[in-house]
PDB file of all heavy atoms in Angstrom:
ATOM      1  N   GLU A   4     141.883 -75.895 -28.729  1.00  0.00           N
ATOM      2  CA  GLU A   4     142.735 -76.998 -28.457  1.00  0.00           C
ATOM      3  C   GLU A   4     142.408 -77.793 -27.197  1.00  0.00           C
ATOM      4  O   GLU A   4     142.416 -79.008 -27.143  1.00  0.00           O
ATOM      5  CB  GLU A   4     144.237 -76.539 -28.370  1.00  0.00           C
ATOM      6  CG  GLU A   4     144.723 -76.118 -29.706  1.00  0.00           C
ATOM      7  CD  GLU A   4     146.191 -75.561 -29.634  1.00  0.00           C
ATOM      8  OE1 GLU A   4     146.689 -75.434 -28.504  1.00  0.00           O
ATOM      9  OE2 GLU A   4     146.768 -75.190 -30.665  1.00  0.00           O
ATOM     10  N   LYS A   5     142.108 -77.060 -26.119  1.00  0.00           N
ATOM     11  CA  LYS A   5     141.868 -77.660 -24.799  1.00  0.00           C
ATOM     12  C   LYS A   5     140.443 -78.135 -24.542  1.00  0.00           C
ATOM     13  O   LYS A   5     140.293 -79.193 -24.000  1.00  0.00           O
ATOM     14  CB  LYS A   5     142.311 -76.684 -23.695  1.00  0.00           C
ATOM     15  CG  LYS A   5     142.370 -77.304 -22.313  1.00  0.00           C
ATOM     16  CD  LYS A   5     142.928 -76.253 -21.315  1.00  0.00           C
ATOM     17  CE  LYS A   5     143.024 -76.866 -19.950  1.00  0.00           C
ATOM     18  NZ  LYS A   5     143.508 -75.874 -18.976  1.00  0.00           N
ATOM     19  N   PHE A   6     139.483 -77.330 -25.062  1.00  0.00           N
ATOM     20  CA  PHE A   6     138.105 -77.624 -24.755  1.00  0.00           C
ATOM     21  C   PHE A   6     137.257 -78.063 -26.001  1.00  0.00           C
ATOM     22  O   PHE A   6     136.108 -78.419 -25.873  1.00  0.00           O
ATOM     23  CB  PHE A   6     137.367 -76.433 -24.123  1.00  0.00           C
ATOM     24  CG  PHE A   6     138.144 -75.889 -22.937  1.00  0.00           C
ATOM     25  CD1 PHE A   6     138.451 -74.515 -22.876  1.00  0.00           C
ATOM     26  CD2 PHE A   6     138.512 -76.644 -21.905  1.00  0.00           C
ATOM     27  CE1 PHE A   6     139.075 -73.966 -21.803  1.00  0.00           C
ATOM     28  CE2 PHE A   6     139.178 -76.119 -20.803  1.00  0.00           C
ATOM     29  CZ  PHE A   6     139.453 -74.787 -20.832  1.00  0.00           C
ATOM     30  N   GLY A   7     137.897 -77.972 -27.178  1.00  0.00           N
ATOM     31  CA  GLY A   7     137.172 -78.276 -28.387  1.00  0.00           C
ATOM     32  C   GLY A   7     136.043 -77.368 -28.682  1.00  0.00           C
ATOM     33  O   GLY A   7     135.067 -77.725 -29.270  1.00  0.00           O
ATOM     34  N   ALA A   8     136.189 -76.102 -28.295  1.00  0.00           N
ATOM     35  CA  ALA A   8     135.153 -75.114 -28.471  1.00  0.00           C
ATOM     36  C   ALA A   8     135.013 -74.695 -29.923  1.00  0.00           C
ATOM     37  O   ALA A   8     135.979 -74.618 -30.619  1.00  0.00           O
ATOM     38  CB  ALA A   8     135.512 -73.851 -27.625  1.00  0.00           C
ATOM     39  N   THR A   9     133.697 -74.568 -30.262  1.00  0.00           N
ATOM     40  CA  THR A   9     133.428 -74.085 -31.699  1.00  0.00           C
ATOM     41  C   THR A   9     133.665 -72.642 -31.734  1.00  0.00           C
ATOM     42  O   THR A   9     133.900 -71.887 -30.768  1.00  0.00           O
ATOM     43  CB  THR A   9     131.981 -74.436 -32.050  1.00  0.00           C
ATOM     44  OG1 THR A   9     131.155 -73.717 -31.143  1.00  0.00           O
ATOM     45  CG2 THR A   9     131.756 -75.894 -31.975  1.00  0.00           C
ATOM     46  N   ALA A  10     133.612 -72.099 -33.044  1.00  0.00           N
ATOM     47  CA  ALA A  10     133.879 -70.693 -33.204  1.00  0.00           C
ATOM     48  C   ALA A  10     132.904 -69.774 -32.510  1.00  0.00           C
ATOM     49  O   ALA A  10     133.314 -68.780 -31.903  1.00  0.00           O
ATOM     50  CB  ALA A  10     133.813 -70.377 -34.738  1.00  0.00           C
ATOM     51  N   TRP A  11     131.617 -70.190 -32.484  1.00  0.00           N
ATOM     52  CA  TRP A  11     130.636 -69.330 -31.758  1.00  0.00           C
ATOM     53  C   TRP A  11     130.885 -69.344 -30.267  1.00  0.00           C
ATOM     54  O   TRP A  11     130.645 -68.363 -29.619  1.00  0.00           O
ATOM     55  CB  TRP A  11     129.196 -69.677 -32.168  1.00  0.00           C
ATOM     56  CG  TRP A  11     128.700 -70.931 -31.605  1.00  0.00           C
ATOM     57  CD1 TRP A  11     128.732 -72.193 -32.156  1.00  0.00           C
ATOM     58  CD2 TRP A  11     128.032 -71.125 -30.343  1.00  0.00           C
ATOM     59  NE1 TRP A  11     128.180 -73.129 -31.303  1.00  0.00           N
ATOM     60  CE2 TRP A  11     127.709 -72.503 -30.214  1.00  0.00           C
ATOM     61  CE3 TRP A  11     127.663 -70.264 -29.340  1.00  0.00           C
ATOM     62  CZ2 TRP A  11     127.068 -72.982 -29.097  1.00  0.00           C
ATOM     63  CZ3 TRP A  11     127.048 -70.747 -28.229  1.00  0.00           C
ATOM     64  CH2 TRP A  11     126.730 -72.090 -28.042  1.00  0.00           C
ATOM     65  N   GLN A  12     131.285 -70.476 -29.717  1.00  0.00           N
ATOM     66  CA  GLN A  12     131.609 -70.562 -28.249  1.00  0.00           C
ATOM     67  C   GLN A  12     132.815 -69.709 -27.915  1.00  0.00           C
ATOM     68  O   GLN A  12     132.847 -69.074 -26.883  1.00  0.00           O
ATOM     69  CB  GLN A  12     131.848 -72.010 -27.911  1.00  0.00           C
ATOM     70  CG  GLN A  12     130.573 -72.885 -27.936  1.00  0.00           C
ATOM     71  CD  GLN A  12     130.886 -74.340 -27.729  1.00  0.00           C
ATOM     72  OE1 GLN A  12     131.895 -74.847 -28.199  1.00  0.00           O
ATOM     73  NE2 GLN A  12     130.016 -75.051 -27.051  1.00  0.00           N
ATOM     74  N   GLN A  13     133.776 -69.703 -28.808  1.00  0.00           N
ATOM     75  CA  GLN A  13     134.883 -68.893 -28.600  1.00  0.00           C
ATOM     76  C   GLN A  13     134.549 -67.365 -28.607  1.00  0.00           C
ATOM     77  O   GLN A  13     134.962 -66.627 -27.746  1.00  0.00           O
ATOM     78  CB  GLN A  13     135.964 -69.129 -29.710  1.00  0.00           C
ATOM     79  CG  GLN A  13     136.572 -70.486 -29.662  1.00  0.00           C
ATOM     80  CD  GLN A  13     137.344 -70.857 -30.913  1.00  0.00           C
ATOM     81  OE1 GLN A  13     137.780 -69.924 -31.622  1.00  0.00           O
ATOM     82  NE2 GLN A  13     137.537 -72.139 -31.147  1.00  0.00           N
ATOM     83  N   GLY A  14     133.759 -66.984 -29.552  1.00  0.00           N
ATOM     84  CA  GLY A  14     133.272 -65.592 -29.572  1.00  0.00           C
ATOM     85  C   GLY A  14     132.405 -65.229 -28.455  1.00  0.00           C
ATOM     86  O   GLY A  14     132.464 -64.167 -27.894  1.00  0.00           O
ATOM     87  N   LEU A  15     131.523 -66.184 -28.027  1.00  0.00           N
ATOM     88  CA  LEU A  15     130.612 -65.909 -26.936  1.00  0.00           C
ATOM     89  C   LEU A  15     131.391 -65.744 -25.578  1.00  0.00           C
ATOM     90  O   LEU A  15     130.877 -65.021 -24.702  1.00  0.00           O
ATOM     91  CB  LEU A  15     129.597 -67.076 -26.864  1.00  0.00           C
ATOM     92  CG  LEU A  15     128.397 -66.844 -25.975  1.00  0.00           C
ATOM     93  CD1 LEU A  15     127.595 -65.681 -26.549  1.00  0.00           C
ATOM     94  CD2 LEU A  15     127.548 -68.087 -26.002  1.00  0.00           C
ATOM     95  N   SER A  16     132.490 -66.359 -25.506  1.00  0.00           N
ATOM     96  CA  SER A  16     133.239 -66.212 -24.273  1.00  0.00           C
ATOM     97  C   SER A  16     133.633 -64.762 -23.960  1.00  0.00           C
ATOM     98  O   SER A  16     133.707 -64.299 -22.835  1.00  0.00           O
ATOM     99  CB  SER A  16     134.491 -67.064 -24.240  1.00  0.00           C
ATOM    100  OG  SER A  16     135.421 -66.579 -25.169  1.00  0.00           O
ATOM    101  N   PHE A  17     133.839 -63.972 -25.016  1.00  0.00           N
ATOM    102  CA  PHE A  17     134.225 -62.564 -24.856  1.00  0.00           C
ATOM    103  C   PHE A  17     132.999 -61.695 -24.530  1.00  0.00           C
ATOM    104  O   PHE A  17     133.222 -60.599 -23.958  1.00  0.00           O
ATOM    105  CB  PHE A  17     134.884 -62.042 -26.116  1.00  0.00           C
ATOM    106  CG  PHE A  17     136.257 -62.570 -26.312  1.00  0.00           C
ATOM    107  CD1 PHE A  17     136.539 -63.626 -27.184  1.00  0.00           C
ATOM    108  CD2 PHE A  17     137.321 -62.073 -25.554  1.00  0.00           C
ATOM    109  CE1 PHE A  17     137.779 -64.141 -27.319  1.00  0.00           C
ATOM    110  CE2 PHE A  17     138.615 -62.631 -25.701  1.00  0.00           C
ATOM    111  CZ  PHE A  17     138.840 -63.649 -26.603  1.00  0.00           C
ATOM    112  N   VAL A  18     131.806 -62.215 -24.677  1.00  0.00           N
ATOM    113  CA  VAL A  18     130.590 -61.471 -24.252  1.00  0.00           C
ATOM    114  C   VAL A  18     130.637 -61.329 -22.741  1.00  0.00           C
ATOM    115  O   VAL A  18     130.118 -60.355 -22.211  1.00  0.00           O
ATOM    116  CB  VAL A  18     129.314 -62.219 -24.788  1.00  0.00           C
ATOM    117  CG1 VAL A  18     128.078 -61.493 -24.175  1.00  0.00           C
ATOM    118  CG2 VAL A  18     129.291 -62.113 -26.283  1.00  0.00           C
ATOM    119  N   SER A  19     131.215 -62.304 -22.037  1.00  0.00           N
ATOM    120  CA  SER A  19     131.243 -62.260 -20.563  1.00  0.00           C
ATOM    121  C   SER A  19     132.059 -61.118 -20.007  1.00  0.00           C
ATOM    122  O   SER A  19     132.035 -60.837 -18.828  1.00  0.00           O
ATOM    123  CB  SER A  19     131.748 -63.617 -20.005  1.00  0.00           C
ATOM    124  OG  SER A  19     133.054 -63.791 -20.382  1.00  0.00           O
ATOM    125  N   MET A  20     132.779 -60.455 -20.854  1.00  0.00           N
ATOM    126  CA  MET A  20     133.568 -59.235 -20.506  1.00  0.00           C
ATOM    127  C   MET A  20     132.744 -57.992 -20.678  1.00  0.00           C
ATOM    128  O   MET A  20     133.073 -57.004 -20.009  1.00  0.00           O
ATOM    129  CB  MET A  20     134.813 -59.148 -21.308  1.00  0.00           C
ATOM    130  CG  MET A  20     135.787 -60.258 -21.061  1.00  0.00           C
ATOM    131  SD  MET A  20     137.277 -60.120 -22.129  1.00  0.00           S
ATOM    132  CE  MET A  20     138.064 -58.714 -21.341  1.00  0.00           C
ATOM    133  N   THR A  21     131.789 -57.929 -21.587  1.00  0.00           N
ATOM    134  CA  THR A  21     131.026 -56.766 -21.981  1.00  0.00           C
ATOM    135  C   THR A  21     130.252 -56.162 -20.882  1.00  0.00           C
ATOM    136  O   THR A  21     130.392 -54.965 -20.582  1.00  0.00           O
ATOM    137  CB  THR A  21     130.245 -57.060 -23.222  1.00  0.00           C
ATOM    138  OG1 THR A  21     131.034 -57.637 -24.251  1.00  0.00           O
ATOM    139  CG2 THR A  21     129.601 -55.762 -23.721  1.00  0.00           C
ATOM    140  N   LEU A  22     129.329 -56.892 -20.275  1.00  0.00           N
ATOM    141  CA  LEU A  22     128.514 -56.350 -19.223  1.00  0.00           C
ATOM    142  C   LEU A  22     129.271 -55.920 -18.053  1.00  0.00           C
ATOM    143  O   LEU A  22     129.058 -54.821 -17.557  1.00  0.00           O
ATOM    144  CB  LEU A  22     127.418 -57.385 -18.845  1.00  0.00           C
ATOM    145  CG  LEU A  22     126.392 -56.938 -17.807  1.00  0.00           C
ATOM    146  CD1 LEU A  22     125.617 -55.691 -18.325  1.00  0.00           C
ATOM    147  CD2 LEU A  22     125.432 -58.040 -17.491  1.00  0.00           C
ATOM    148  N   PRO A  23     130.154 -56.671 -17.551  1.00  0.00           N
ATOM    149  CA  PRO A  23     131.029 -56.167 -16.427  1.00  0.00           C
ATOM    150  C   PRO A  23     131.836 -54.914 -16.791  1.00  0.00           C
ATOM    151  O   PRO A  23     132.037 -54.074 -15.931  1.00  0.00           O
ATOM    152  CB  PRO A  23     131.965 -57.294 -16.090  1.00  0.00           C
ATOM    153  CG  PRO A  23     131.298 -58.561 -16.587  1.00  0.00           C
ATOM    154  CD  PRO A  23     130.541 -58.080 -17.808  1.00  0.00           C
ATOM    155  N   TYR A  24     132.277 -54.786 -18.020  1.00  0.00           N
ATOM    156  CA  TYR A  24     132.931 -53.570 -18.426  1.00  0.00           C
ATOM    157  C   TYR A  24     132.017 -52.354 -18.293  1.00  0.00           C
ATOM    158  O   TYR A  24     132.402 -51.335 -17.748  1.00  0.00           O
ATOM    159  CB  TYR A  24     133.440 -53.685 -19.927  1.00  0.00           C
ATOM    160  CG  TYR A  24     134.058 -52.420 -20.384  1.00  0.00           C
ATOM    161  CD1 TYR A  24     135.368 -52.127 -20.070  1.00  0.00           C
ATOM    162  CD2 TYR A  24     133.308 -51.529 -21.138  1.00  0.00           C
ATOM    163  CE1 TYR A  24     135.982 -50.926 -20.528  1.00  0.00           C
ATOM    164  CE2 TYR A  24     133.902 -50.316 -21.598  1.00  0.00           C
ATOM    165  CZ  TYR A  24     135.273 -50.049 -21.266  1.00  0.00           C
ATOM    166  OH  TYR A  24     135.798 -48.881 -21.731  1.00  0.00           O
ATOM    167  N   VAL A  25     130.742 -52.529 -18.733  1.00  0.00           N
ATOM    168  CA  VAL A  25     129.776 -51.439 -18.694  1.00  0.00           C
ATOM    169  C   VAL A  25     129.544 -51.067 -17.229  1.00  0.00           C
ATOM    170  O   VAL A  25     129.467 -49.903 -16.842  1.00  0.00           O
ATOM    171  CB  VAL A  25     128.466 -51.804 -19.431  1.00  0.00           C
ATOM    172  CG1 VAL A  25     127.439 -50.778 -19.192  1.00  0.00           C
ATOM    173  CG2 VAL A  25     128.743 -51.921 -20.928  1.00  0.00           C
ATOM    174  N   VAL A  26     129.342 -52.112 -16.391  1.00  0.00           N
ATOM    175  CA  VAL A  26     129.139 -51.865 -14.988  1.00  0.00           C
ATOM    176  C   VAL A  26     130.354 -51.222 -14.356  1.00  0.00           C
ATOM    177  O   VAL A  26     130.188 -50.215 -13.553  1.00  0.00           O
ATOM    178  CB  VAL A  26     128.807 -53.196 -14.219  1.00  0.00           C
ATOM    179  CG1 VAL A  26     128.769 -53.043 -12.738  1.00  0.00           C
ATOM    180  CG2 VAL A  26     127.515 -53.765 -14.761  1.00  0.00           C
ATOM    181  N   GLY A  27     131.500 -51.711 -14.695  1.00  0.00           N
ATOM    182  CA  GLY A  27     132.765 -51.042 -14.082  1.00  0.00           C
ATOM    183  C   GLY A  27     132.878 -49.607 -14.500  1.00  0.00           C
ATOM    184  O   GLY A  27     133.245 -48.762 -13.631  1.00  0.00           O
ATOM    185  N   THR A  28     132.641 -49.277 -15.730  1.00  0.00           N
ATOM    186  CA  THR A  28     132.760 -47.846 -16.141  1.00  0.00           C
ATOM    187  C   THR A  28     131.687 -47.035 -15.513  1.00  0.00           C
ATOM    188  O   THR A  28     131.964 -45.866 -15.063  1.00  0.00           O
ATOM    189  CB  THR A  28     132.746 -47.719 -17.661  1.00  0.00           C
ATOM    190  OG1 THR A  28     131.558 -48.347 -18.153  1.00  0.00           O
ATOM    191  CG2 THR A  28     133.960 -48.289 -18.337  1.00  0.00           C
TER     192      THR A  28
END
């Protein structure tokens, strides 16, 4: 709604959590 992001951009945004999660654990 706010940025007009496509489905792959929406999914890709959650990838930014994965590497920091691995580093944090």
Side-chain angles (χ1 to χ4, degrees):
E4 290 176 356
K5 190 172 180 181
F6 309 128
T9 61
W11 73 269
Q12 290 171 323
Q13 294 167 21
L15 194 60
S16 68
F17 288 99
V18 172
S19 63
M20 295 178 71
T21 305
L22 183 60
Y24 176 82
V25 171
V26 171
T28 54

